[in-house]
C-alpha cells in the first residue's frame, strides 16, 4: 500500500503532482498535496527531513485545507476580545491548531516569523497544540491564520482572560518555588542532622541544631503554607482533610524545635518533617500536572465556539463576508457550505441538502432538508450549500440550552468525600486520644515535663505522611498509565467514583458499534460491462453522503482506476448517476443499475464491533449492570442488543436527551458512555460521564473521562483500573497505619526520639511508594 | 576543627545561592513549559532556504 508523502496515511487512491510522471510521490488527498507544494515554495522542505527522523506524538491525519479567509480575525471587536495588546503595540493571540503531531510541526510553526511579515514570535506548546503568536501593529491575524491553514493546521483562536492566565502562571511558579525551597532546605538539614546523630557535642551540637532550625523555618512557613491553608479551610467548612493532621504535626514540630532551641536541648524533628513537606508537595504537583494534561474544560469551551461562518452583507445581500460565529445575530442570512456545521437555529431559505442530526438526536441516518424547514445549531450540512435565516442564536439555540443544562449538571453533581479524608477523621481523633493517654500514663509516673514532651512527640511522629504521600502518587500513576492507553481521566476523584459504579449506561454508537455505516449483503445480480468496483469508485468518490463513504470503503484496495464519467449527477436522497464508457450507471438505495437494469443490491448497517460481546461479558463479570440508552429506533437497538447477547429489556431506544438524563438522575452510582451532543446532559448528570472518540466538544465538556480508542474494551479497562487502583490505595492505607501503630507502641515504651522518627517516617513512605509502584497483578497486566 | 568556621559559612552560602538562583529562574518563567523545550533543542537554528522576499532585511 502506498503511503502519503505528507501525512503517512494510506493513499487510496494515490494522487500525484502533475509533473510527477514516475508516480514517485503519492499523496492521499488534495490537501496534503497542496501543503507539500506550499512548503516547497516557501523553502520549508526540511519539514520532511525532521518529520521522518522523529516519532509522532499524536495520530497523524490527512490535511483538510478549507477555503477560508479568516477576515473575521481582523475585526476590531474580535481582536479586542481575543487578543492581548502589550505596551509596545504588539498583539498576542493564541490559536488551537488541529493536526499538530510531531517535531516537524513544532519546527514549522516556530519558523513562522521567517516567512510571514510582521510576525515577531510564534511559539508552540506541543502538549496542548496551542500556538502563541505575537504580531506588530501592522500585522494581521487573518494573515497568520491563513498561513497556518495553508500549512495544513486549521487554526481556532482561543479566548484568553489575561488576568486568569497570569494568576495561573503565578500559582504554578509559586508551587515550584515551594518545592524547590523545601527540597534544598531538607537536603541541607539532613547534613547537620546526621552530624547530630553521629554524636556532635558541645558548641558544634548547638551550631548544627540552630542551623537546622534556620533552614527549617522557610520550609515550615513558606513551603508548608498550602497545608495550613487547606487545613484551615477544611476546619472552617467543617469538612475532612488529610491536611489537618499534617498541619498539626508540622505546627507541633516547629513549636517543639523552637522550645528546644531556646532551652538548649539539641533535639528536633526537622529532618523528617522538611523531607516530608518536600515529598508531599512533589507528589501533589505531579498529580496536578497529570490532570492538566487531560482535558482543560476552558480550552474546549472556546474551541467549540471558534468557527467562522459566511454571513450575507447587510448592504449588499448577494455578498458574503466571513464572520466569527460569536457575532451572529437573529435575522442574519448565513451561507452554510457542504461539510460545515450549522452555527444557529433557523430556517432554510434557499437550497436543499442532507443533514446529519446525529449530534442532537442520535439518529445515524442523514435526513433530507429543503426550503422552509427548520434547522438546528450543531447539525452538520453534508452535501449541498444552504442559505438559512437565523431565528435563535448563541445560548438561545437548542444546542445552547443543552450546553447550559450540561453546566447545571456539573454544578449539581454529587461531591464525594475521598477515602483518605474519611480515614483522616478517625485518625486525627485516635492520635489526640493516644497522645492524651500517653501524657496521663507518664504523668502518673511523676514527670510532667517528660510527659508533655512525649505526648507532643507522638503528635509529630504519627503524622500520616505515608498515607498523604501514597494517595496522590497512586492516582498519578493510574492517570498517567491510563493516558498511555488512550484513556484520559479528568481528575483523581473520578477513579474513586468509578470504583463505586453499579450501573453502566451505554449509547451504542462508537462503543458497541463502529459508528459509521458499513455495506452488508452485497449481492451481484448481473455481469456489468465494467467491474462493479470501478462503477462505485468513479461515481461515489464524488459524493459525501455516508452511504457513498461506506461504498468507497467497501471497495477499498480493490480499484483506483479513474474512468472518464459524463453527465455525473447527484440528486438529493436519490443517489448518484453518470455515463461511463457508453453505459448509464446509477447507484441509489435500491442498488446499482446498468442502463436501468439491476446489477447489484446492498444494504447498509452500523455494524457491531467484533470485540463488543467479549468486553461486555467481562464488564458484567465485574458485577456491573449494563444498559443501552439510545435515541435510535427500537428495531435497530434491539438487533444490536441481540448481537452482543444483552437481554432486550436492557436495551432502551427512542430516548430524547432529556429522557436519557432523567434515567441517569434516577439511578444512583451510574456511569454513562456516549459521544453526541444528545448524550451531553446525561454525561454531566451521571456520577461518571465517559465520552468516546470522535465525540463532539460539547459532550467532551460534560465528560469525566475521554476514550481515544473506540469500543467497549477501554470501558472494561477503566473499570479494572479503578477497582485495582482503589485496592492499592487501601493497601497503602493499611501499611501506613501499621507504621503509625508501631510508633505509638514505641512512644508508650519511651523509645521514641528524633532518631527513631528519622528512621520510621521515611521507611513508611518508602514502603507505600514501593507498594504503589508494584501495584497489583491485574494492574500490571493492564499496562502490558 | 577550625576549618569548620570557613566550611560552614561556605556551605550555607552555596546553599543560599542555589535556592535564590532557582527562585529567580522560576520567576523568569524558565519552568513554565516543561514539555516543548526538550524537543525544541533538537532543531537547529538554520534559517530557511528561501526566505520570503516580502521580509525586510532587518527582520532576518
Amino acid at each position: 500500500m502506498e503511503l502519503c508523502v505528507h501525512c503517512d496515511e494510506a493513499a487510496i487512491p494515490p494522487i500525484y503532482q502533475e509533473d510527477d510522471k514516475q508516480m514517485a510521490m503519492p499523496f492521499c488527498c488534495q490537501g496534503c498535496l497542496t501543503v507539500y507544494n506550499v512548503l516547497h515554495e516557501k523553502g520549508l522542505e526540511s519539514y520532511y527531513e525532521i518529520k521522518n527522523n522523529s516519532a509522532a506524538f499524536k495520530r497523524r491525519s490527512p490535511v483538510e485545507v478549507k477555503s477560508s479567509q479568516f477576515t473575521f480575525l481582523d475585526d476590531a471587536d474580535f481582536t479586542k476580545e481575543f487578543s492581548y495588546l502589550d505596551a509596545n503595540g504588539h498583539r498576542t493571540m493564541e490559536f488551537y491548531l488541529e493536526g499538530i503531531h510531531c517535531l516537524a510541526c513544532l519546527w514549522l510553526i516556530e519558523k513562522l516569523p521567517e516567512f510571514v511579515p510582521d510576525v515577531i514570535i510564534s511559539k508552540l506548546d506541543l502538549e496542548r497544540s496551542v500556538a502563541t503568536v505575537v504580531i506588530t501593529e501592522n500585522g494581521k491575524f487573518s494573515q497568520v491564520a491563513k498561513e497556518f491553514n495553508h500549512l495544513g493546521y486549521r487554526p481556532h483562536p482561543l479566548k484568553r482572560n489575561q488576568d486568569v492566565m497570569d494568576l495561573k502562571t503565578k500559582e504554578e511558579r509559586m508551587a515550584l518555588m515551594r518545592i524547590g525551597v523545601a527540597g534544598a532546605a531538607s537536603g541541607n538539614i539532613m547534613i547537620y542532622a546526621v552530624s547530630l546523630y553521629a554524636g556532635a557535642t558541645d558548641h558544634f551540637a548547638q551550631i548544627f541544631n540552630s542551623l537546622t532550625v534556620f533552614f527549617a523555618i522557610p520550609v515550615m512557613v513558606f513551603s508548608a503554607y498550602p497545608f495550613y491553608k487547606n487545613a484551615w479551610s477544611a476546619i472552617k467548612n467543617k469538612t475532612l482533610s488529610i491536611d489537618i493532621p499534617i498541619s498539626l504535626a508540622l505546627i507541633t514540630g516547629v513549636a517543639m524545635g523552637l522550645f528546644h532551641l531556646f532551652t538548649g536541648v539539641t533535639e528536633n524533628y526537622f529532618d523528617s518533617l522538611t523531607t516530608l513537606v518536600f515529598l508531599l508537595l512533589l507528589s501533589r504537583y505531579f498529580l496536578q500536572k497529570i490532570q492538566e494534561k487531560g482535558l482543560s474544560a476552558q480550552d474546549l469551551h472556546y474551541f467549540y465556539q471558534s468557527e467562522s461562518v459566511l454571513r450575507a452583507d447587510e448592504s449588499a445581500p448577494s455578498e458574503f463576508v466571513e464572520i466569527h460565529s460569536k457575532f451572529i445575530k437573529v435575522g442574519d442570512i448565513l451561507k452554510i457550505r457542504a461539510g460545515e456545521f450549522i452555527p444557529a437555529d433557523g430556517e432554510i431559505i434557499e437550497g436543499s441538502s442532507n443533514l446529519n442530526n446525529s449530534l442532537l438526536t442520535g439518529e445515524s441516518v442523514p435526513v433530507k432538508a429543503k426550503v422552509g424547514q427548520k434547522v438546528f445549531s450543531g447539525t452538520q450540512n453534508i452535501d449541498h450549500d444552504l442559505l438559512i435565516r437565523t431565528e435563535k442564536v448563541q445560548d438561545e439555540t437548542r444546542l445552547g440550552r443543552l450546553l447550559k443544562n450540561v453546566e447545571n449538571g456539573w454544578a449539581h453533581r454529587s461531591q464525594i468525600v475521598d477515602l483518605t479524608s474519611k480515614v483522616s477523621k478517625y485518625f486525627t481523633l485516635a492520635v489526640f486520644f493516644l497522645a492524651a493517654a500517653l501524657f496521663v500514663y507518664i504523668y502518673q509516673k511523676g514527670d510532667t515535663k517528660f510527659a508533655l514532651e512525649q505526648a507532643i512527640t507522638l503528635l509529630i511522629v504519627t503524622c500520616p505522611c505515608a498515607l498523604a504521600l501514597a494517595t496522590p502518587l497512586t492516582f498519578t500513576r493510574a492517570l498517567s498509565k491510563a493516558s498511555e492507553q488512550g484513556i484520559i481521566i479528568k481528575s483523581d476523584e473520578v477513579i474513586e467514583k468509578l470504583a463505586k459504579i453499579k450501573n453502566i449506561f451505554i449509547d451504542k454508537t462508537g462503543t458497541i458499534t463502529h459508528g459509521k455505516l458499513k455495506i452488508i449483503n452485497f449481492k451481484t445480480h448481473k455481469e456489468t460491462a465494467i467491474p462493479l468496483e470501478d462503477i462505485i469508485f468513479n461515481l461515489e468518490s464524488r459524493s459525501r453522503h455516508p452511504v457513498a463513504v461506506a461504498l468507497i470503503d467497501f471497495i477499498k484496495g480493490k480499484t483506483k482506476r479513474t474512468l472518464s464519467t459524463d453527465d455525473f449527477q447527484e440528486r438529493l436522497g436519490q443517489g448518484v448517476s453518470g455515463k461511463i464508457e457508453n453505459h448509464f450507471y446509477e447507484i441509489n438505495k435500491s442498488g446499482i443499475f446498468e442502463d436501468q437494469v439491476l446489477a447489484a443490491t446492498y444494504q447498509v448497517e452500523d455494524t457491531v464491533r467484533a470485540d463488543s460481546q467479549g468486553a461486555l461479558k467481562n464488564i458484567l463479570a465485574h458485577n456491573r449492570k449494563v444498559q443501552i440508552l439510545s435515541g435510535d429506533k427500537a428495531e435497530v437497538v434491539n438487533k444490536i442488543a441481540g448481537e452482543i447477547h444483552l437481554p432486550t429489556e436492557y436495551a432502551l431506544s427512542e430516548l430524547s436527551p432529556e429522557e436519557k438524563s432523567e434515567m441517569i438522575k434516577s439511578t444512583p452510582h451510574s456511569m454513562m458512555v456516549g459521544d453526541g451532543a444528545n448524550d451531553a446532559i446525561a454525561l454531566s448528570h451521571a456520577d461518571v460521564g465517559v465520552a468516546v472518540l470522535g465525540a463532539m466538544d460539547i459532550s467532551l465538556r460534560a465528560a469525566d473521562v475521554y476514550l481515544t480508542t473506540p469500543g467497549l474494551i477501554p470501558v472494561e479497562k477503566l473499570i479494572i483500573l479503578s477497582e485495582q487502583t482503589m485496592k492499592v490505595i487501601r493497601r497503602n492505607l493499611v501499611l501506613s497505619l501499621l507504621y503509625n501503630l508501631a510508633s505509638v507502641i514505641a512512644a508508650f515504651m519511651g523509645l521514641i526520639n528524633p532518631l527513631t522518627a528519622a528512621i520510621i517516617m521515611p521507611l513508611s513512605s518508602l514502603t507505600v511508594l514501593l507498594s504503589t509502584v508494584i501495584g497489583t497483578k491485574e494492574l500490571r497486566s493492564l499496562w502490558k | 576543627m577550625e576549618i569548620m568556621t570557613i566550611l560552614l559559612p561556605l556551605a550555607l552560602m552555596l546553599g543560599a545561592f542555589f535556592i535564590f538562583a532557582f527562585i529567580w529562574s522560576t520567576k523568569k518563567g524558565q519552568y513554565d513549559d516543561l514539555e516543548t523545550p526538550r524537543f525544541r533543542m533538537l532543531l537547529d537554528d538554520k534559517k530557511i532556504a528561501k526566505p520570503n522576499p516580502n521580509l525586510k532585511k532587518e527582520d532576518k
Side-chain angles (χ1 to χ4, degrees), chain A residues 581-594:
Chain A
E581 290 178 1
N582 296 323
H583 290 283
F584 178 75
Y585 293 101
E586 188 175 353
I587 305 176
N588 61 32
K589 59 179 175 229
S590 2
I592 302 170
F593 297 86
E594 183 185 48

Side-chain angles (χ1 to χ4, degrees), chain A residues 542-704:
Chain A
R542 305 175 183 212
S543 170
R544 277 199 251 195
H545 194 277
V547 175
V549 175
L551 273 167
I552 290 293
D553 198 51
F554 182 67
I555 56 150
K556 193 168 162 181
K558 288 181 189 152
T559 182
K560 36 194 174 184
R561 196 151 68 104
T562 311
L563 301 165
S564 71
T565 312
D566 300 320
D567 303 331
F568 175 80
Q569 262 193 355
E570 180 174 10
R571 276 167 302 158
L572 205 58
Q574 305 276 320
V576 291
S577 63
K579 231 176 164 177
I580 308 171
E581 290 178 1
N582 296 323
H583 290 283
F584 178 75
Y585 293 101
E586 188 175 353
I587 305 176
N588 61 32
K589 59 179 175 229
S590 2
I592 302 170
F593 297 86
E594 183 185 48
D595 298 325
Q596 317 285 350
V597 185
L598 186 70
T601 51
Y602 63 86
Q603 284 171 300
V604 287
E605 189 188 58
D606 188 3
T607 48
V608 170
R609 295 178 167 278
D611 53 19
S612 290
Q613 198 195 324
L616 180 74
K617 218 175 117 192
N618 293 341
I619 295 172
L620 291 172
H622 279 271
N623 283 322
R624 291 342 197 246
K625 191 175 154 193
V626 178
Q627 281 175 284
I628 298 179
L629 287 189
S630 178
D632 220 336
K633 292 192 185 70
E635 44 179 325
V636 181
V637 179
N638 287 341
K639 185 170 172 290
I640 285 165
E643 277 180 52
I644 55 167
H645 302 297
L646 188 74
T648 35
E649 65 256 39
Y650 292 144
L652 308 166
S653 50
E654 289 169 48
L655 296 171
S656 71
E658 289 77 12
E659 283 169 328
K660 281 187 184 180
S661 76
E662 276 312 312
M663 190 95 197
I664 299 249
K665 268 195 228 169
S666 59
T667 319
H669 304 300
S670 59
M671 165 172 150
M672 170 80 196
V673 187
D675 62 350
N678 60 323
D679 298 323
I681 312 180
L683 286 173
S684 68
H685 282 106
D687 285 315
V688 178
V690 180
V692 292
L693 177 76
M696 203 203 177
D697 309 329
I698 169 171
S699 56
L700 276 183
R701 286 177 58 199
D704 302 290

Side-chain angles (χ1 to χ4, degrees), chain A residues 40-46 50 57 103 106-107 110-111 113-118 123-127 138 169 172-174 176-177 179-181 184-185 188 192 204 207-208 211 214-215 285 289 293, chain B residues 1-2 4-5 7-8 11-12 15-16 18-19 22-52 54-56 59-60:
Chain A
H40 276 262
E41 266 165 42
K42 294 187 186 296
L44 296 164
E45 302 90 334
S46 312
I50 299 168
F57 309 113
L103 191 56
L106 173 71
W107 178 82
E110 304 206 334
K111 281 280 174 217
E114 292 183 38
F115 59 89
V116 184
D118 301 316
K123 264 187 110 163
L124 180 72
D125 184 333
L126 271 175
E127 198 64 48
N138 305 323
T169 325
E172 256 175 39
R173 289 178 186 175
M174 195 54 122
L176 263 181
M177 281 190 263
I179 294 171
V181 169
N188 278 290
Y192 307 111
F204 275 123
I207 293 171
F208 291 159
L211 279 177
F214 168 75
F215 274 112
Y285 180 77
K289 275 277 155 196
K293 260 193 187 178
Chain B
M1 291 296 263
E2 285 76 28
M4 290 302 267
T5 49
L7 279 181
L8 267 183
L12 289 178
F18 281 110
I19 290 179
F22 177 75
I23 290 178
W24 174 79
S25 55
T26 311
K27 276 190 174 161
K28 284 271 173 196
Q30 285 288 319
Y31 308 109
D32 285 356
D33 181 358
L34 298 172
E35 204 59 39
T36 321
R38 64 177 164 142
F39 296 113
R40 192 177 285 136
M41 58 162 257
L42 295 173
L43 304 169
D44 41 7
D45 299 331
K46 230 170 32 192
K47 293 280 167 187
I48 54 178
K50 281 176 270 178
N52 193 312
N54 300 338
L55 276 188
K56 281 172 262 148
D59 286 336
K60 281 182 194 170

Side-chain angles (χ1 to χ4, degrees), chain A residues 283-335:
Chain A
S283 68
R284 288 182 186 191
Y285 180 77
F286 283 145
L287 182 62
Q288 198 198 340
K289 275 277 155 196
I290 192 93
Q291 289 184 7
E292 279 172 5
K293 260 193 187 178
L295 304 164
S296 165
Q298 213 193 3
D299 282 356
L300 287 168
H301 180 59
Y302 294 114
F303 182 30
Y304 156 67
Q305 293 191 329
S306 64
E307 273 304 324
S308 64
V309 59
L310 290 174
R311 179 171 70 178
D313 206 348
E314 273 153 29
S315 47
S318 55
E319 295 281 305
F320 287 90
V321 273
E322 200 173 48
I323 59 156
H324 191 264
S325 54
K326 227 175 95 69
F327 299 106
I328 299 171
K329 295 191 299 288
V330 176
D332 280 349
I333 312 271
L334 304 177
K335 185 176 193 170

